[in-house]
Amino acid sequence: MEGKKFLAKSDGETIIQHTKLLLKNLDILKEIYPDINVNWALLKLACIYHDLGKLNEKFQYKVDKNLRTTAGEVPHGLLSTAFIPAKELIHKGFSKEEVEILAYAIGRHHERDFSKVSIADIKREVSTLDVTDFPYQQLGIDELHIRVLSKKYFEHDVHMSVIQFGDAYFDYVMLKGLLNRLDYAASGHIEVEHPNDFLIDSMGNLGYQWNDLQEYMLTHQKENLVITAQTGLGKTEAGLLWLGNNKGFFTLPIKAAINAIYNRIVTKVVKDTQEQKIGLLHSSIHQEYLRAKDEGIFEELLDVDNYVNRTRQLSLPLTVCTLDQLFDIVFRYPGYEQKIATLSYSKVIIDEIQMYSADLLAYLIYGLKMITDYGGSFAVLTATLPPYITDLMMKEGLRFKQPKEGFVDENLMIRHSVEILHETMNTSKIIRVFSKNKILVICNTIKQAKQMYQQISDEVGTECVHLMHSAFIRRDRTQKEKDILDFAQNGNTDAGIWISTQIVEASLDIDFDILFTELSDLSGLFQRMGRCYRKRPWIPEIGINVYVYDGGSKNCSGIGTVIDKEIYELSKNALLQVSGPLTESEKIKLISQMFTTDKVKTSTFYQSINDHLEFLELLFEGEKTKNEVLNEFRNIHNLSVIPSSIYEENKKIITKLVQLLKIPSKIATSQEKIEKKKGRILLNEYKVDLPMYALKGLEIEELEINDYEKISILISCNYDSNNGIELHKRQKKADIDVEDQFF
């Protein structure tokens, strides 16, 4: 090989340099988490040998010339197995099974399509390997042996699976998963892990006196927990106390709530060097990090790209994230191993489990079983918990501690006085009650929310009436989320009416004076109540502060589409006994009585959970690709579009951004690369996510960026910042609230 560069990367990094970075990160991982259930000796060998297949001439030519691929190239992972000294390892005391695991972890450390690679191809490329002058001694190797590995150790067209390899599959997943973590960290020039040596002290520095819930979580840190606690009781702090100085993930169902929790932690709990301690993981993190930097939360010199990289590599001690960022492991797609290996030494907090749809609830339950099987632990924290969910968890073999009684604040035992209105939602009582107060109106669907906004605005004017739902472009939705948080805080004396969908149900720290809501289900109703008199006691002089429309002889909006009809009917019947003051204990009791497995087992919702659990049980490892998993896990297929009116209003800047994005990365300057990243974020501000079925038959124009990326301009719509998007051609299904609350 000309020059004998022995490159690992096209930027000039050598195989030796890259491998040493892996070994350095291996030492970091072992120092911070020495009790990980992995064969450390095998993991070190995997680091040493994993990239030696890059010594082949075709790979060296490709990276030297900065090419995507080269003719006849065999994936380097397969060639790396030829360097494994199988006989010597057996002689040193490693078992055949351990050598086999090592070979598969190395051979498949990058997921590639090997279907067109033959054993003859591998033998041909192995025979051409020239390691003359390669300084392997720097990696602690005494001698290099190059030979195609025996089939008893490795077959390139065989996938590791639990059926074929039994108990050894666990060891393979841990080895391959951690090798991936070390490899990706080395490639990104970041540390594979940062220690959690701060959270206990940070919580102590808050100066709070912990309540019963928080004390319970603190004293049960080593157990899996399922906890019910009323809203406003400090579940976030309780979760962090349970986490302690361990690696942890905090999951929530709604992106706005995730952002709010993250902001609370980085401004009140972890107030320095946050980029080494806590991350935010969902589809828009770059944008959120830039916003936080602009607001002065982070240091001015913070490298946002590096922070994003550390977050996505799961390198931070604490990560606040959406469900899909972790629980796609249930599909066991090729490459899932790095996530489950990480979760094997992590603690996972699940907030508001009852808000998930049937399929996502099944994925969550099955995922918790996988996490605990590999050694991780979990805590479920929720305001309402239907008993059928814990029954399903136990049915899947999950073991956890659950207090007999839910946690309530004795000083806030009564926060709500309820009137059930046996009619569909209308404006008459809302208009009568509105008078220098803060009213929250929650609808089940976007269509209903828009109708209420229009009708109320016609009565009282638009100045004090606001609408919030998922079908706004990101710029407007972000502003609305900020506005409602500011409006509904203690000390804000403004009066007004906010109309929203279920996106305000969970973990938003807002407090209104009066709530008007459609009935969805009992759990959702009590979640919605938590946005009214959040931390204030009810007294008789207040009168009714929660009005619930149960539909009367009709159904509320969304029943049978976004809300299961049988669950709705059970909830409706439960409310027949509700009138006037309702204690927190009574709320918990109602949920426990009405949502037993026996009462919901015939519902479509419950049967759907079981169907999805059975599907996951029957799924083979590697049966689905990561892209297939992404589509299934998203629950609905969305397309990001720019409404035509927004495009016309901002045509000049959008055109400029598209031209910037068209610059190929290979020829872009460093400054252009930075501008491209900022440009992509800015372009996303003009987009709204809509389900594909709602767009069927509508006119869409495309702006091409490259062969793989296009900008979709939705022509068949109207848009304004007060109402959001309005499609010209409406389908029945398009009226469903398509809030992307999970992803």
Side-chain angles (χ1 to χ4, degrees):
M1 281 179 283
E2 183 183 350
K4 299 287 184 180
K5 296 176 184 177
F6 305 117
L7 296 174
K9 310 287 182 183
S10 56
D11 63 3
E13 184 172 286
T14 68
I15 294 171
I16 293 291
Q17 290 170 334
H18 176 65
T19 305
K20 284 184 175 181
L21 287 175
L22 263 81
L23 294 171
K24 179 182 178 181
N25 266 320
L26 175 63
D27 290 339
I28 292 171
L29 182 65
K30 192 172 182 180
E31 181 181 355
I32 298 175
Y33 300 110
D35 297 327
I36 295 176
N37 190 9
V38 68
N39 187 321
W40 292 103
L42 270 188
L43 185 55
K44 183 174 183 178
L45 289 170
C47 292
I48 291 170
Y49 289 103
H50 83 289
D51 263 1
L52 294 186
K54 289 182 175 179
L55 288 167
N56 80 87
E57 289 185 0
K58 290 185 174 66
F59 182 89
Q60 290 298 307
Y61 177 80
K62 179 181 73 173
V63 293
D64 185 50
K65 301 300 182 184
N66 199 18
L67 302 174
R68 277 181 173 267
T69 186
T70 185
E73 182 184 7
V74 170
H76 71 267
L78 298 181
L79 301 182
S80 294
T81 63
F83 291 87
I84 299 174
K87 291 181 180 179
E88 290 79 357
L89 292 176
I90 296 292
H91 182 72
K92 289 180 180 180
F94 289 95
S95 67
K96 172 186 174 295
E97 188 178 79
E98 287 172 328
V99 176
E100 189 176 15
I101 290 167
L102 175 65
Y104 275 94
I106 290 174
R108 291 189 169 275
H109 76 272
H110 290 302
E111 296 300 336
R112 301 285 188 266
D113 181 7
F114 297 156
S115 62
K116 295 181 181 179
V117 179
S118 68
I119 188 64
D121 294 330
I122 296 173
K123 288 180 177 179
R124 182 193 69 242
E125 293 304 310
V126 168
S127 69
T128 66
L129 286 167
D130 179 8
V131 297
T132 306
D133 297 329
F134 178 66
Y136 55 83
Q137 297 88 349
Q138 293 185 33
L139 301 179
I141 302 173
D142 295 328
E143 189 176 358
L144 274 184
H145 301 274
I146 306 173
R147 54 180 174 265
V148 175
L149 206 56
S150 167
K151 281 188 175 183
K152 67 180 179 180
Y153 298 119
F154 181 73
E155 293 183 72
H156 77 282
D157 54 354
V158 172
H159 274 281
M160 265 278 185
S161 70
V162 69
I163 292 177
Q164 291 172 294
F165 296 93
D167 292 341
Y169 182 73
F170 169 89
D171 299 321
Y172 162 74
V173 168
M174 290 299 297
L175 187 69
K176 180 179 181 291
L178 293 177
L179 173 61
N180 287 150
R181 287 285 314 283
L182 295 167
D183 192 15
Y184 298 153
S187 296
H189 294 273
I190 62 172
E191 293 184 354
V192 67
E193 287 287 359
H194 292 264
N196 185 346
D197 54 8
F198 59 88
L199 190 54
I200 290 177
D201 288 342
S202 296
M203 295 299 292
N205 291 337
L206 292 174
Y208 297 163
Q209 182 174 349
W210 305 124
N211 60 32
D212 290 345
L213 163 67
Q214 293 157 346
E215 284 286 354
Y216 185 90
M217 300 294 285
L218 186 59
T219 56
H220 291 80
Q221 287 183 335
K222 295 184 178 180
E223 298 175 90
N224 296 325
L225 300 175
V226 174
I227 303 294
T228 304
Q230 75 178 64
T231 54
L233 205 57
K235 292 195 294 295
T236 301
E237 289 77 8
L240 295 176
L241 288 168
W242 173 78
L243 178 60
N245 281 359
N246 296 285
K247 187 174 182 69
F249 295 88
F250 203 121
T251 70
L252 296 101
I254 297 177
K255 195 183 292 185
I258 292 169
N259 293 340
I261 293 290
Y262 171 77
N263 288 334
R264 278 178 60 192
I265 295 174
V266 297
T267 56
K268 296 182 179 180
V269 182
V270 182
K271 295 187 283 189
D272 59 19
T273 58
Q274 297 100 328
E275 72 278 5
Q276 297 178 22
K277 297 175 180 177
I278 176 172
L280 176 69
L281 189 56
H282 57 58
S283 58
S284 307
I285 59 171
H286 208 131
Q287 179 179 336
E288 288 300 315
Y289 284 168
L290 285 174
R291 178 200 54 75
K293 184 178 179 180
D294 290 342
E295 292 178 2
I297 295 173
F298 304 137
E299 295 180 7
E300 182 63 31
L301 297 177
L302 173 69
D303 185 339
V304 172
D305 287 342
N306 192 270
Y307 188 16
V308 169
N309 193 16
R310 284 199 296 272
T311 303
R312 287 180 174 158
Q313 298 284 354
L314 309 181
S315 297
L316 299 172
L318 174 59
T319 303
V320 186
C321 62
T322 45
L323 189 72
D324 65 308
Q325 298 293 338
L326 299 182
F327 283 80
D328 56 357
I329 57 171
V330 299
F331 291 100
R332 305 188 292 284
Y333 57 86
Y336 87 101
E337 298 89 355
Q338 63 171 321
K339 286 187 182 179
I340 191 63
T342 304
L343 292 166
S344 76
Y345 58 93
S346 301
K347 303 177 79 172
V348 181
I349 300 165
I350 308 294
D351 196 356
E352 307 303 356
I353 190 173
Q354 84 292 335
M355 286 195 67
Y356 293 106
S357 57
D359 53 350
L360 296 176
L361 187 55
Y363 303 157
L364 192 152
I365 292 171
Y366 194 87
L368 290 179
K369 179 64 165 59
M370 290 178 64
I371 290 168
T372 55
D373 284 348
Y374 274 83
S377 55
F378 70 88
V380 173
L381 284 162
T382 183
T384 58
L385 185 66
Y388 70 83
I389 293 181
T390 49
D391 288 348
L392 285 166
M393 292 171 70
M394 288 186 285
K395 182 181 174 183
E396 285 299 308
L398 285 166
R399 297 292 175 259
F400 50 86
K401 189 176 184 68
Q402 182 181 20
K404 289 184 178 180
E405 302 292 334
F407 289 92
V408 296
D409 187 342
E410 296 296 336
N411 297 319
L412 289 173
M413 184 57 73
I414 302 178
R415 295 183 296 159
H416 304 115
S417 182
V418 183
E419 180 178 339
I420 309 301
L421 303 171
H422 303 296
E423 56 190 6
T424 56
M425 180 173 269
N426 59 80
T427 65
S428 58
K429 190 174 285 289
I430 299 172
I431 301 301
R432 289 202 305 270
V433 169
F434 178 52
S435 175
K436 296 182 181 179
N437 49 15
K438 299 178 187 292
I439 291 181
L440 178 62
V441 180
I442 303 182
C443 306
N444 294 340
T445 64
I446 291 176
K447 181 180 180 180
Q448 181 67 32
K450 285 182 175 180
Q451 289 176 352
M452 293 302 295
Y453 172 72
Q454 188 61 55
Q455 292 168 14
I456 294 173
S457 296
D458 289 344
E459 294 275 355
V460 301
T462 59
E463 195 170 304
C464 60
V465 183
H466 311 274
L467 176 64
M468 181 174 171
H469 53 68
S470 65
F472 286 95
I473 62 172
R474 293 172 195 177
R475 178 193 65 192
D476 293 340
R477 181 168 166 181
T478 300
Q479 185 60 50
K480 286 178 178 291
E481 289 169 358
K482 181 179 183 300
D483 289 345
I484 194 172
L485 285 169
D486 291 341
F487 174 82
Q489 293 297 317
N490 289 333
N492 186 320
T493 58
D494 294 341
I497 301 174
W498 274 83
I499 299 139
S500 182
T501 56
Q502 62 185 0
I503 60 175
V504 298
E505 274 185 30
S507 298
L508 283 182
D509 192 8
I510 55 177
D511 187 15
F512 282 76
D513 299 321
I514 299 174
L515 170 68
F516 287 85
T517 179
E518 285 189 288
L519 176 62
S520 54
D521 65 84
L522 215 54
S523 293
L525 173 61
F526 294 155
Q527 280 294 126
R528 295 175 183 189
M529 286 187 187
R531 310 311 121 195
C532 169
Y533 269 66
R534 185 168 176 78
K535 295 181 181 178
R536 292 181 282 171
W538 178 87
I539 55 176
E541 290 78 8
I542 294 168
I544 302 296
N545 63 352
V546 174
Y547 296 90
V548 182
Y549 296 90
D550 71 359
S553 60
K554 300 179 181 179
N555 290 330
C556 293
S557 69
I559 305 305
T561 51
V562 293
I563 298 156
D564 182 87
K565 184 172 175 57
E566 290 168 82
I567 299 292
Y568 164 75
E569 291 294 346
L570 281 172
S571 302
K572 194 170 181 177
N573 289 332
L575 291 178
L576 294 176
Q577 56 187 292
V578 174
S579 180
L582 184 64
T583 70
E584 298 303 314
S585 297
E586 287 171 335
K587 293 175 187 176
I588 294 172
K589 187 177 179 181
L590 277 171
I591 294 288
S592 298
Q593 291 176 341
M594 296 307 299
F595 293 116
T596 64
T597 299
D598 190 56
K599 288 184 178 179
V600 304
K601 65 185 179 182
T602 60
S603 70
T604 303
F605 186 83
Y606 185 82
Q607 290 172 357
S608 180
I609 298 173
N610 275 317
D611 289 345
H612 281 90
L613 285 170
E614 290 176 10
F615 167 74
L616 294 172
E617 291 282 358
L618 297 172
L619 198 65
F620 290 110
E621 290 80 8
E623 186 173 335
K624 288 187 175 292
T625 67
K626 190 168 184 178
N627 284 335
E628 288 173 334
V629 168
L630 183 62
N631 285 332
E632 287 211 32
F633 207 85
R634 283 194 171 187
N635 201 19
I636 55 175
H637 301 279
N638 281 350
L639 179 68
S640 292
V641 299
I642 299 177
S644 55
S645 60
I646 294 294
Y647 173 68
E648 292 299 331
E649 290 171 16
N650 302 275
K651 191 171 185 177
K652 188 174 181 180
I653 189 170
I654 290 174
T655 302
K656 185 178 178 180
L657 291 172
V658 170
Q659 291 304 314
L660 177 64
L661 294 176
K662 283 185 175 182
I663 301 173
S665 297
K666 286 185 178 182
I667 65 171
T669 65
S670 298
Q671 184 60 36
E672 284 174 334
K673 289 179 180 178
I674 293 172
E675 293 302 319
K676 282 182 68 174
K677 288 178 180 178
K678 291 181 178 179
R680 195 176 301 280
I681 292 169
L682 182 54
L683 195 60
N684 286 339
E685 290 289 283
Y686 301 120
K687 294 180 181 178
V688 57
D689 293 334
L690 296 174
M692 295 297 292
Y693 62 70
L695 297 171
K696 187 176 180 181
L698 301 186
E699 184 182 357
I700 295 176
E701 293 183 358
E702 294 183 334
L703 301 178
E704 184 174 298
I705 293 177
N706 52 49
D707 291 342
Y708 310 100
E709 186 176 6
K710 295 177 176 62
I711 304 296
S712 297
I713 310 297
L714 180 59
I715 306 300
S716 307
C717 72
N718 296 324
Y719 183 87
D720 68 74
S721 59
N722 291 323
N723 289 279
I725 201 163
E726 185 76 30
L727 304 182
H728 286 176
K729 179 183 177 182
R730 302 290 286 182
Q731 295 181 356
K732 186 176 180 181
K733 288 186 177 180
D735 291 339
I736 297 173
D737 183 346
V738 294
E739 159 59 17
D740 57 343
Q741 58 182 339
F742 303 107
F743 308 120

